[in-house]
């Protein structure tokens, strides 16, 4: 709080979030500008150290293969993301003739920009096409070190652990529902498999979003939602005990008793080091409500979203499928190292100080194996469930908007499932929590509209960067796609003709990280970094 002094009036006290916020000019609408990833700090680090990093990994590997092929492909693809000479789309306004070039995206798992768009796409899909208007609770299961390593190495182990986890929680939900009179309780959930911790370390754990109740499916009528009472601390501990017992019976606790990754290959050694880093930080759920911590396992169920808080549900979905790290938190240090600011202190520190190779090591271990799903659907939310059509909203109300040029919806414009054409189940209206009785749902219209596709690419850009890439800056019309340019030679000739940069940023050659001959060639990561104020 501070005083604003005016000569014509008496001093006035105002509240400001930061000094000068009250007197600052109103921001104008952002105009489109190419993202220019080659000017970011991360892009400079990857350009300078990727080849030496990969060469060092091949030297350390007994087989000489180094990092897996899918990891190398992912890191190299990031260097092409947003670079015009690697390919672009050409769009044109039919009204005034304005044209614009939009660079292709890489969709790599190591790319912060593509991960942000992937996050928005998944959150939008879950809120509008999967979760009906019912309360949702988040269950988070963390694993001990040896299981985290095995789950990161083998997707089958991760799938088995997730199956045992959801089965234990679903069994508890069904028991509670039967006590309330549910004849045929059906459970549902969506799991985001996260491979990272807050320190950009390898930490495979599960964020499962489940309706805070069950669906009673009978042959006589539509699905009904049965709200359940929140689990107590003792119940969460009992569920975690059941999970640990199931994991032990499956023989997963005997796997990896020795130090993981020792002597196997270069990638396993990197994964083992990153898994060990998590031991330095305290578990954030150890002293939270509705949480349990047993033998390195932790289970937390303290986050609940009200059935009418669709904006809160979307935020929770974005949190569950968020990228491994934020680019704006990375900054250069004066000595050539990198500083990453974490969201909250861990182990008494808010900052991580890393060398460029240490950052690449962490990013490489977070790249998931090929053909693995980051989102898993359970119960009646599963695509092959015969009851799925009676529970999930069809999202037909948004299909027409995506097919046309209609403006996107706002945070509060989410319609209830009963108001969406073609939705087979209507809005759940549970009675007060103290009753916990069955709540009937209204039967939906019989006609169904074709389900919409995923969020269009232009709308994802609008949600992530708060700008519309297909809006004409001259006449406010809509730009139309006129060409895709994917050939390097054709793209270079067009860029040369337009007077734009037609050369990709140079990639440093492989060299030893401690080669004295290259000491004078140490990169200045401050140069070209738009976030550095010098």
């Amino acid at each position: 709080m501070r005083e604003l002094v005016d000569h014509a009036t008496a001093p006035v006290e105002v509240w400001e979030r930061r000094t000068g916020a009250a007197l600052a000019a109103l921001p104008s609408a952002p105009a489109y500008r190419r993202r220019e990833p080659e000017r970011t700090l991360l892009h400079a680090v990857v350009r300078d150290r990727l080849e030496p990093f990969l060469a060092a990994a091949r030297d350390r590997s007994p087989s000489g293969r180094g990092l897996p092929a899918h990891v190398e492909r992912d890191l190299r693809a990031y260097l092409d993301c947003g670079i015009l000479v690697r390919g672009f789309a050409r769009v044109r306004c039919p009204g005034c003739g304005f044209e614009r070039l939009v660079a292709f995206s890489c969709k790599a798992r190591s790319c912060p920009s593509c991960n942000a768009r992937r996050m928005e796409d998944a959150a939008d899909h879950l809120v509008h096409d999967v979760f009906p208007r019912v309360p949702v609770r988040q269950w988070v299961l963390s694993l001990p070190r040896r299981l985290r390593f095995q789950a990161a190495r083998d997707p089958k182990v991760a799938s088995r652990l997730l199956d045992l986890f959801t089965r234990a929680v679903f069994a508890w939900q069904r028991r509670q529902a039967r006590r309330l009179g549910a004849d045929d309780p059906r459970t549902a959930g969506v799991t985001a498999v996260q491979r990272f911790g807050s320190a950009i370390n390898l930490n495979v754990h599960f964020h499962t979003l489940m309706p805070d109740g069950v669906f009673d499916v009978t042959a006589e009528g539509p699905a009904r939602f049965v709200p359940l009472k929140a689990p107590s601390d003792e119940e969460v501990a009992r569920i975690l005990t059941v999970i640990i017992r199931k994991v032990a019976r499956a023989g997963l606790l005997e796997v990896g008793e020795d130090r993981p990754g020792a002597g196997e290959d270069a990638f396993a050694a990197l994964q083992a080091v990153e898994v060990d880093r998590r031991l330095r930080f305290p578990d954030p759920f150890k002293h939270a409500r509705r949480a349990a911590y047993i033998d390195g396992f932790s289970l937390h169920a303290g986050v609940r979203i009200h059935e009418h808080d669709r904006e809160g549900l979307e935020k929770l979905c974005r949190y569950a499928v968020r990228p491994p790290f934020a680019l704006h938190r990375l900054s250069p240090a004066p000595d050539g190292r990198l500083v990453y600011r974490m969201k909250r202190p861990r182990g008494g520190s808010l900052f991580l100080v890393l060398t460029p190779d240490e950052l690449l090591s962490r990013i490489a271990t977070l790249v998931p194996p090929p053909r693995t799903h980051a989102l898993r659907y359970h119960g009646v939310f599963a695509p092959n469930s015969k009851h799925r059509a009676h529970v999930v909203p069809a999202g037909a109300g948004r299909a027409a908007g995506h097919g046309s040029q209609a403006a996107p919806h706002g945070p509060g414009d989410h319609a209830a499932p009963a108001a969406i054409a073609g939705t087979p189940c209507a809005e759940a209206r549970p009675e007060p929590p103290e009753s916990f009785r069955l709540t009937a749902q209204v039967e939906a219209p019989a006609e169904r509209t074709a389900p919409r596709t995923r969020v269009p690419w232009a709308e994802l850009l609008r949600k992530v960067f708060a700008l519309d890439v297909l809006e004409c800056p001259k006449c406010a019309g809509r730009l139309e796609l006129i060409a895709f340019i994917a050939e390097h030679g054709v793209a270079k000739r067009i860029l040369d003709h337009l007077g734009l940069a037609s050369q990709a940023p140079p990639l440093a050659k492989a060299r030893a990280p401690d080669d004295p001959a290259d000491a004078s060639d140490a990169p200045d990561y401050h140069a070209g970094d738009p976030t550095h104020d010098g």
Side-chain angles (χ1 to χ4, degrees), residues 185-199:
R186 298 300 177 103
T187 55
V190 178
T191 297
V193 182
Q194 288 192 3
R195 296 177 58 86
F196 56 90
S198 59

Side-chain angles (χ1 to χ4, degrees), residues 102 116-121 123-125 128 314 318 397-411 413-414 452-471 478:
V102 183
R117 275 172 277 182
R118 188 179 291 112
M119 171 189 67
E120 293 290 349
D121 183 36
D124 185 275
H125 169 66
H128 297 96
E314 189 168 4
R318 283 200 296 264
R398 287 173 52 82
H402 283 173
S404 64
Q405 300 300 335
H409 63 277
D413 295 339
H414 309 296
R452 71 180 180 94
T453 57
R454 302 302 286 271
V455 182
W457 164 81
E459 184 173 334
L460 289 178
L461 288 177
R462 179 166 48 228
K463 291 170 71 68
V464 175
F465 300 109
L467 53 87
D468 191 351
V469 69
L470 294 181
E471 181 180 359
R478 302 300 299 176

Side-chain angles (χ1 to χ4, degrees), residues 359-519:
L359 178 63
L360 285 178
S361 298
R362 298 194 182 205
I363 295 176
T365 58
L366 300 182
V367 178
R371 295 177 294 280
T372 57
H373 297 287
L375 281 178
R376 313 287 179 89
Y377 299 86
H378 317 286
V380 295
F381 286 171
N384 60 347
S385 173
K386 63 180 181 180
H387 302 293
R388 189 178 193 272
H390 302 287
V391 174
V392 303
R398 287 173 52 82
H402 283 173
S404 64
Q405 300 300 335
H409 63 277
D413 295 339
H414 309 296
I420 299 178
T423 305
C425 75
E427 178 180 357
R429 298 185 180 275
E431 295 189 15
E434 54 269 18
S435 62
F436 291 102
R437 295 181 299 182
L438 275 175
T439 302
Q441 294 187 346
V442 182
E443 190 170 1
E447 297 182 1
R448 292 183 59 85
T449 307
R452 71 180 180 94
T453 57
R454 302 302 286 271
V455 182
W457 164 81
E459 184 173 334
L460 289 178
L461 288 177
R462 179 166 48 228
K463 291 170 71 68
V464 175
F465 300 109
L467 53 87
D468 191 351
V469 69
L470 294 181
E471 181 180 359
C472 179
K474 293 185 177 181
C475 66
R478 302 300 299 176
L479 303 180
E480 297 179 354
L481 176 67
I482 61 173
F484 279 120
I485 308 299
E487 294 293 335
H488 175 77
V490 178
K492 186 177 185 305
R493 288 198 299 270
I494 294 176
L495 294 175
D496 288 336
H497 176 73
L498 297 176
L500 300 176
S502 60
Q503 295 291 335
L507 186 65
K509 298 180 180 180
R511 63 180 185 273
D514 54 352
D515 189 350
D518 295 330

